[in-house]
């Protein structure tokens, strides 16, 4: 799953960085969709969907912590063969012309940089998702209030939890006032968040766009403001770095196994648990990416099937109804279709009787229907409103 390891230079392309940045969002969408599909048969999974932000944040914290600890890269960056390197700028002065040149040196991440990286990769997106949900709720509430007005006559929950026979009036009143003050404070905080979130979001998106544009134009080595705040560059991994990361993982795991304490049976259980955890983490990247492609394919497949099932079926046009029968006491039809059955002359201003479909001269059929209230051929009841002019005598 590594791309362009040791390619042209150590600086990743803009498309590599964009793909690495968008991967967590795609992973979350795939996991949410898969949990939604499984929740149709297992209703208990609906509780997980109610806390999808917390569930995904916990999952990404485990993955990001393990990835930064073993590879000095985030989960998505390690998939693209990228590594994070701390930036150190050294100043060199030439004695001849007294000009100073800044030289950038890369080194491995320190512990505090890894901790702050986890905060930028997990905590900040989680807070952003929560703020976005609060903003949407407040926006819907404001729209409903503008349409239906404020509903201030609701009863507090404390009124239903207290028994008037067991609690005094003063306790009820104090709890009601306290509950109303807390509710009012909560509403004020929500309103402040809803008012400030658009500006925070716009500022964040504007800074991200500016950094990405500068990175695309090769004017900076930082792809985003978070990397600039950390003082970290993202570089391509070399073959030697991959070998070093593998040996470092082996050393870390061997040290963790040596630190096991307790009786032999407890050490055996701990070794089994650690082995299972190591195996899960080793195949987590490949497994999650495979799950993304699998569930995206399933989503496309079921969506296509639903579209095919919901598409309207095109049926052939029905055959025309049989012509009405001529009544025994009705006027017989002339052998020539261009003649009027009433006057036996060529039709003038041809008009049709809608109830039967036969064509006559307009004057002839109007006079006959006005007098007898029926079709002269089929003797079906008709009125002058059933007469329709034809502008092409076929």
């Amino acid at each position: 799953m590594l791309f362009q390891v040791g390619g042209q230079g150590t600086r990743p392309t803009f498309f590599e960085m964009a793909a690495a940045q968008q991967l967590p969002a795609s992973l979350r969408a795939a996991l949410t969709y898969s949990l939604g599909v499984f929740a149709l048969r297992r209703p208990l999974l609906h509780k997980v969907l109610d806390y999808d932000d917390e569930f995904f944040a916990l999952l990404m914290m485990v993955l990001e912590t393990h990835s930064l600890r073993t590879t000095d890269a985030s989960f998505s960056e390690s998939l693209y063969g990228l590594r994070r390197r701390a930036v150190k700028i050294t100043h060199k002065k030439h004695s001849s012309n007294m000009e100073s040149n800044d030289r950038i040196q890369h080194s491995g991440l320190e512990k505090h940089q890894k901790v702050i990286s986890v905060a930028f990769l997990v905590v900040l997106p989680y807070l952003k998702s929560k703020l976005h949900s609060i903003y949407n709720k407040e926006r819907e509430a404001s729209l409903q209030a503008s349409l239906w007005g404020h509903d201030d006559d609701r009863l507090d929950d404390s009124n239903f939890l207290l028994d008037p026979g067991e609690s005094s009036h003063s306790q009820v009143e104090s709890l009601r006032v306290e509950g109303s003050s807390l509710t009012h404070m909560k509403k004020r905080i929500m309103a402040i968040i809803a008012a400030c979130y658009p500006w925070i979001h716009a500022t964040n998106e504007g800074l991200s766009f500016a950094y990405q544009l500068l990175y695309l134009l090769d004017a900076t080595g930082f792809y985003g403001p978070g990397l600039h705040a950390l003082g970290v560059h993202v570089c391509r991994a070399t073959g030697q770095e991959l070998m070093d990361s593998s040996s470092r993982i082996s050393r870390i795991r061997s040290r963790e196994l040596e630190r096991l304490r307790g009786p032999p049976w407890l050490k055996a259980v701990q070794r089994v648990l650690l082995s299972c955890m190591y195996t899960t983490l080793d195949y987590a990247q490949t497994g999650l990416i495979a799950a993304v492609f699998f569930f995206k394919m399933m989503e496309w497949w079921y969506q296509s099937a639903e579209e095919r099932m919901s598409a309207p079926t095109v049926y052939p046009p029905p055959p025309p109804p049989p012509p009405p029968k001529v009544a025994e006491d009705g006027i017989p039809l002339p052998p020539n279709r261009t003649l009027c059955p009433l006057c036996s002359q060529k039709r003038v201003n041809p008009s049709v009787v809608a109830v039967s479909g036969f064509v006559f001269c307009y004057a002839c059929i109007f006079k006959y229907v006005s007098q007898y209230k029926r079709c002269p051929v089929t003797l079906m009841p008709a009125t002058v409103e059933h007469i329709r002019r034809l502008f092409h005598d076929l």
Side-chain angles (χ1 to χ4, degrees):
M1 300 296 293
L2 298 179
F3 300 91
Q4 295 188 8
V5 176
Q8 296 295 327
T10 60
R11 188 175 187 271
T13 63
F14 175 81
F15 300 101
E16 288 176 302
M17 297 297 298
Q21 187 182 31
Q22 295 172 2
L23 183 61
S26 302
L27 178 60
R28 176 171 183 171
L31 290 178
T32 304
Y33 175 78
S34 61
L35 289 176
V37 172
F38 290 139
L40 296 177
R41 296 186 177 181
R42 298 292 185 271
L44 292 177
L45 292 177
H46 282 290
K47 296 181 180 180
V48 179
L49 291 176
D50 293 338
Y51 299 96
D52 56 341
D53 291 334
E54 290 75 12
F55 173 75
F56 186 75
L58 181 61
L59 176 63
M60 292 306 298
M61 179 171 291
V62 174
L63 294 177
E64 299 291 2
T65 303
H66 176 262
S67 182
L68 285 168
R69 183 185 179 189
T70 56
T71 62
D72 282 350
S74 67
F75 171 75
S76 57
E77 291 166 356
S78 61
L79 289 176
Y80 289 89
L82 306 178
R83 296 292 183 268
R84 294 194 171 197
R85 295 289 177 260
V87 178
K88 293 183 179 180
I89 301 177
T90 58
H91 301 276
K92 291 187 176 181
K93 293 184 178 180
H94 296 280
S95 58
S96 59
N97 49 10
M98 298 300 292
E99 293 180 356
S100 62
N101 293 328
D102 295 338
R103 184 178 179 182
I104 297 177
Q105 295 180 352
H106 292 151
S107 61
L109 294 181
E110 299 180 1
K111 186 176 181 180
H112 73 278
Q113 290 178 325
K114 294 180 181 180
V115 174
I116 300 176
S117 296
V118 172
F120 274 98
L121 293 170
V122 179
V123 179
L124 288 185
Y126 171 75
L127 294 178
K128 181 180 178 182
S129 177
K130 285 299 182 183
L131 291 176
H132 187 71
S133 63
I134 292 173
Y135 172 74
N136 288 335
K137 290 180 181 179
E138 288 297 317
R139 185 179 180 184
E140 292 177 0
S142 62
L143 289 176
Q144 291 179 359
S146 63
L147 292 175
W148 305 103
H150 295 279
D151 188 10
D152 295 333
D153 298 330
R154 300 177 185 175
L155 294 175
D156 295 333
D157 295 338
S158 59
N159 296 333
F160 298 96
L161 298 176
L162 296 176
D163 188 0
E166 298 178 359
S167 301
S168 62
H169 179 72
S170 60
Q171 292 177 347
V172 174
E173 187 68 20
S174 62
L175 288 176
R176 187 184 66 81
V177 172
E178 183 180 357
S180 62
S181 62
L182 290 176
T183 304
H184 181 69
M185 184 181 298
K186 183 178 179 180
K187 289 182 178 180
R188 288 292 301 273
I189 294 174
M190 295 298 182
I192 293 173
I193 292 175
C196 297
Y197 176 75
W199 297 98
I200 298 173
H201 181 70
T203 304
N204 180 46
E205 293 296 324
L207 284 176
S208 299
F209 175 76
Y211 271 92
Q212 292 174 10
L213 181 61
L214 293 175
Y215 187 88
L216 181 62
L217 298 176
D218 202 8
T220 182
F222 301 102
Y223 184 77
L227 295 174
H228 197 173
L230 288 172
V232 171
H233 278 177
V234 179
C235 307
R236 286 200 185 100
T238 61
Q240 185 63 35
E241 289 176 343
L242 294 177
M243 295 175 61
D244 294 341
S245 62
S246 300
S247 60
R248 182 170 57 179
I249 293 174
S250 301
R251 290 195 302 269
I252 292 174
R253 292 180 178 178
S254 62
R255 286 198 301 266
E256 289 179 350
L257 293 175
E258 292 175 357
R259 293 175 183 174
L260 298 179
R261 295 292 182 270
W265 64 270
L266 182 58
K267 289 184 179 180
V269 173
Q270 292 176 351
R271 287 178 182 274
V272 172
L273 294 177
L274 286 176
S275 299
C276 295
M277 184 182 67
Y278 294 153
T279 304
T280 303
L281 292 174
D282 289 338
Y283 292 98
Q285 294 180 347
T286 305
L288 288 175
I289 298 303
V292 169
F293 285 106
F294 174 75
F295 286 111
K296 283 295 182 181
M297 184 185 67
M298 295 299 294
E299 182 182 10
W300 168 81
W301 178 267
Y302 284 111
Q303 184 177 3
S304 301
E306 290 176 359
E307 290 178 354
R308 289 194 299 268
M309 293 176 63
S310 61
T313 305
V314 179
Y315 295 99
K325 295 181 180 181
V326 179
E328 294 181 358
D329 298 335
I331 298 176
L333 295 174
N336 189 355
R337 291 187 174 184
T338 61
L339 301 180
C340 175
L342 290 174
C343 63
S344 299
Q345 301 294 327
K346 188 174 181 179
R347 289 188 295 260
V348 179
N349 293 330
S351 301
V352 63
V353 180
V355 296
S356 63
F358 290 103
V359 183
F360 308 88
C361 296
Y362 179 76
C364 298
I365 191 61
F366 185 84
K367 186 185 300 184
Y368 185 90
V369 171
S370 299
Q371 183 178 356
Y372 296 101
K373 306 296 182 182
R374 65 185 182 183
C375 174
V377 178
T378 62
L379 303 183
M380 297 174 65
T383 60
V384 292
E385 285 79 8
H386 294 141
I387 301 174
R388 299 288 186 270
R389 282 287 312 274
L390 296 179
F391 296 95
H392 294 282
D393 188 7
L394 301 178

